[in-house]
Amino acid sequence: MTTTAQQTSPPAAPRPTPAIIPLPPATARAATGIGALLTLASTFLAWTWTAEFPGDLTVNGYPGGLQVLTLIGALLTLVFTLSAFGVRGLGWLTPGGKNSAILLFALGTFATTWYAIIAIAVNLGGLANLEPGGFIAAVAALLTLVAALGLPSDVPLDGDIETVTPWKRFTQAFKAPTPEPAAPLPSWAEILIIAVSFGLGLFIFTYGIDTEYAELFIGFMLMVCFGATAVSRAGLNRRLASYTATHKNVTVTAAFVAAFAFPFTQTNDAYATIGANILIFATVALGLNVVVGLAGLLDLGYVAFLGVGAYTAALVSGSSYSTIGIHLPFWAAVLAGAAASLIFGIVIGAPTLRLHGDYLAIVTLGFGEIFRIAMQNMDGTSGPNITRGPNGIPDIPDLEIFGFNLGEPHTVLGVELGKFSNYYLLMLFFTIIVVTVFRRSDQSRIGRAWVAIREDETAARAMGINAFRLKLLAFALGATLAGMAGTVQAHVTTTVTPTQFKFVEAVPPNSAFLLAAVILGGMGTVSGPLIGASLLYLIPAKLQFMSDYQLLLFGVALVLLMRFRPEGLIADRRKQLEFHDTGQLDTPKGDIGLSKAGV
């Protein structure tokens, strides 16, 4: 007698508990809105009892310092939450990711608020220095963030809800969903949106420069970073990009009008100094972008061309320490500096541009160091007495253009502009020239040939492109633009020394920071290097207490950038396709074909 073995299946594994408990969208949004409202209300209460903490957070009914940033973050979180609820008139704020924008604004508010609370505790000696308003702000910001994490993702989650952790939900917020198509607007409305956007950008930039203490600037940077990402994930940046692409000339005009208005917003010439130096740094970075971003030539000694222009201007601008005793007018000094840099660019580029990749980088790095050492040795002892060696050439007189002395205060449109405001406006004029040259070059046949050489020089040569001649042209053009900016830098700093032109130095501009500005902002774009240079100059200028760790933090930032944003902050279409998934189907793998079809 045979018996059939009883097949017993193992008991089913218990269903895992979700890492994030999903909430109904309406419930999560309501909780987020209530938390944002409580956070906003907490800014009208005192956060600490003593005015020793910068910003005076002891006043009830009047936010100040870091409280203002928390108020702005909570208000934006609330407004975007109402937009997600479908409140009439606010739907245009979220053409893309509604919930991602809310989460990122909530995260920015949380980071700024908790940074302020921790800073109070550290600076004043413990949490006992917090008033009830500070505790309410910390708890309300945390509740807002937790509620925002319960919102559904705008993009498909990688995995089942049971496997979604808070970290995975957080990273999903940084993935851009496809924005909804924009409703057609009249041309005047699109132009108005462009103008308002640049006006808002001017306000944010001015607020950042005018921050009076490091704690406020750090809070500002936290809010701006998360806020900018939130606006991007909401789809507003793509919509604005479509308007700017339609009205390119209006966009360029609005950008320079906003930049022109900057010195008129300043009451302290020290902040105008930062603006002038940022423009110098940004203009030189844009010139380097011609060499690196368009032609793909890795130049690690580019700051030497800035030095050639600066030393030329110092020698011919009438300094009492000039060894040649020539005093040329401003326009002649600019042409002399640009011409000297052009000559150096051709002399250095002609024998070296036949090299490629790392070999070219090493040669250009050597040229930068040779230039600095040569300027240091031309002191009359180790070499001819031309640059006064390590002492440099000081006492460079202020420029005088058409009887207008840039070193003296002048009243323009009822606003008194100091020395550095005058130089800022002068440097803005040169920035316009550099941007015009870059745009014309990029859109020309030569610019397309540069891009072809950058992508594949062998293929470009096969198509009949004279690669050496075009690379030399890019090298010479970049050197000329750097030399032109160097003539203005010499008059802004009033002293030119060899130590200003090292490869790596704690204070920009130098070759490493210039190259990083191009990579950070986005190679091959106009606005990318300008934004990258602004960040790399502004952050060290405002956080001087971290100067001992500046290069370490700089390296960490570059590593993070290469990991999470290799195409830069402002990337062109080609770089986005190169570094990110395009959404196209992969080529089928395996032996799928005629044999499988039975043919």
Side-chain angles (χ1 to χ4, degrees):
M1 180 176 178
T2 60
T3 61
T4 303
Q6 300 293 327
Q7 299 293 330
T8 59
S9 59
R15 191 176 182 84
T17 303
I20 293 181
I21 301 177
L23 296 175
T27 303
R29 288 169 184 165
T32 303
I34 293 172
L37 190 61
L38 291 174
T39 306
L40 189 150
S42 70
T43 61
F44 292 89
L45 301 175
W47 284 11
T48 183
W49 62 274
T50 175
E52 291 183 7
F53 187 81
D56 193 6
L57 309 183
T58 64
V59 182
N60 287 301
Y62 187 82
L66 287 164
Q67 288 176 322
V68 175
L69 296 174
T70 297
L71 185 150
I72 294 173
L75 182 61
L76 289 172
T77 305
L78 182 61
V79 170
F80 275 76
T81 302
L82 294 176
S83 173
F85 265 118
V87 175
R88 186 177 180 84
L90 296 178
W92 61 272
L93 285 174
T94 52
K98 297 178 174 61
N99 298 322
S100 295
I102 296 172
L103 175 57
L104 289 167
F105 275 124
L107 184 60
T109 306
F110 170 80
T112 304
T113 304
W114 277 64
Y115 167 74
I117 300 303
I118 294 172
I120 291 173
V122 172
N123 288 1
L124 301 182
L127 294 174
N129 294 282
L130 289 175
E131 289 289 302
F135 290 105
I136 294 174
V139 173
L142 178 59
L143 292 177
T144 305
L145 177 59
V146 172
L149 283 170
L151 292 169
S153 177
D154 293 316
V155 296
L157 291 171
D158 298 330
D160 298 330
I161 187 65
E162 289 82 2
T163 64
V164 177
T165 62
W167 174 252
K168 182 177 290 187
R169 175 66 187 90
F170 167 72
T171 56
Q172 290 295 116
F174 289 88
K175 295 184 178 181
T178 302
E180 299 174 0
L185 294 176
S187 295
W188 65 266
E190 295 179 352
I191 292 173
L192 180 61
I193 291 174
I194 293 173
V196 171
S197 300
F198 279 101
L200 183 61
L202 172 63
F203 173 78
I204 295 173
F205 180 73
T206 302
Y207 185 92
I209 281 189
D210 291 349
T211 50
E212 298 178 351
Y213 47 93
E215 291 85 355
L216 182 59
F217 181 76
I218 293 175
F220 165 78
M221 289 300 300
L222 288 172
M223 183 55 65
V224 167
C225 290
F226 286 108
T229 308
V231 169
S232 174
R233 294 303 171 260
L236 291 176
N237 64 328
R238 292 191 180 184
R239 183 160 293 183
L240 179 62
S242 66
Y243 297 153
T244 57
T246 305
H247 309 280
K248 292 183 179 180
N249 293 330
V250 172
T251 301
V252 174
T253 302
F256 282 109
V257 167
F260 177 81
F262 167 74
F264 295 93
T265 65
Q266 301 300 304
T267 58
N268 188 343
D269 204 36
Y271 296 143
T273 307
I274 298 177
N277 286 319
I278 285 176
L279 270 187
I280 293 174
F281 190 17
T283 304
V284 179
L286 193 57
L288 178 60
N289 199 24
V290 174
V291 181
V292 177
L294 293 184
L297 305 174
L298 184 55
D299 188 352
L300 298 182
Y302 188 74
V303 74
F305 299 120
L306 178 72
V308 171
Y311 265 103
T312 302
L315 289 171
V316 302
S317 294
S319 170
S320 58
Y321 291 90
S322 174
T323 56
I324 61 177
I326 297 177
H327 188 183
L328 298 179
F330 167 68
W331 62 269
V334 171
L335 291 179
S341 296
L342 171 63
I343 294 172
F344 269 85
I346 295 175
V347 170
I348 299 301
T352 61
L353 289 179
R354 300 186 186 278
L355 302 174
H356 304 277
D358 298 338
Y359 300 101
L360 177 63
I362 293 172
V363 170
T364 54
L365 175 61
F367 163 66
E369 288 301 298
I370 289 172
F371 169 79
R372 181 181 61 83
I373 295 172
M375 296 301 103
Q376 190 168 340
N377 289 336
M378 291 183 182
D379 56 357
T381 302
S382 302
N385 186 19
I386 299 177
T387 64
R388 301 183 71 248
N391 296 323
I393 304 176
D395 195 27
I396 301 173
D398 290 311
L399 290 174
E400 187 169 338
I401 305 175
F402 303 117
F404 189 89
N405 192 321
L406 299 185
E408 298 176 356
H410 298 275
T411 301
V412 179
L413 301 177
V415 178
E416 184 178 277
L417 300 180
K419 170 183 176 179
F420 293 104
S421 295
N422 297 330
Y423 279 109
Y424 172 89
L425 294 176
L426 175 64
M427 199 60 224
L428 181 61
F429 171 74
F430 285 107
T431 305
I432 294 174
I433 294 176
V434 175
V435 168
T436 302
V437 171
F438 184 89
R439 289 185 66 201
R440 295 298 183 185
S441 300
D442 185 24
Q443 298 170 4
S444 66
R445 188 174 68 177
I446 293 177
R448 292 192 294 271
W450 282 337
V451 173
I453 294 172
R454 182 191 69 191
E455 297 300 322
D456 192 330
E457 184 174 341
T458 303
R461 290 177 183 274
M463 297 301 295
I465 295 176
N466 190 331
F468 174 75
R469 185 181 66 181
L470 289 173
K471 289 195 295 184
L472 184 60
L473 177 61
F475 208 74
L477 178 59
T480 304
L481 298 178
M484 186 173 60
T487 60
V488 180
Q489 186 202 25
H491 291 88
V492 171
T493 59
T494 69
T495 301
V496 178
T497 60
T499 56
Q500 296 174 346
F501 309 106
K502 292 183 177 180
F503 172 70
V504 177
E505 180 67 20
V507 179
N510 53 67
S511 291
F513 273 69
L514 288 171
L515 184 60
V518 175
I519 297 174
L520 171 65
M523 292 191 297
T525 64
V526 175
S527 56
L530 299 178
I531 294 176
S534 299
L535 291 175
L536 288 180
Y537 192 93
L538 180 61
I539 293 175
K542 304 300 291 187
L543 301 180
Q544 296 182 1
F545 71 95
M546 300 177 66
S547 58
D548 293 340
Y549 307 98
Q550 180 176 324
L551 294 179
L552 172 63
L553 297 176
F554 173 66
V556 172
L558 283 181
V559 172
L560 294 176
L561 178 70
M562 292 298 100
R563 171 60 182 85
F564 297 104
R565 188 77 178 180
E567 73 274 22
L569 297 178
I570 308 294
D572 60 6
R573 182 64 176 166
R574 183 181 288 105
K575 291 296 181 183
Q576 289 178 333
L577 295 176
E578 180 179 350
F579 289 108
H580 294 284
D581 184 11
T582 62
Q584 299 177 353
L585 296 176
D586 294 333
T587 303
K589 297 179 180 180
D591 53 350
I592 301 175
L594 298 179
S595 61
K596 285 289 183 181
V599 178

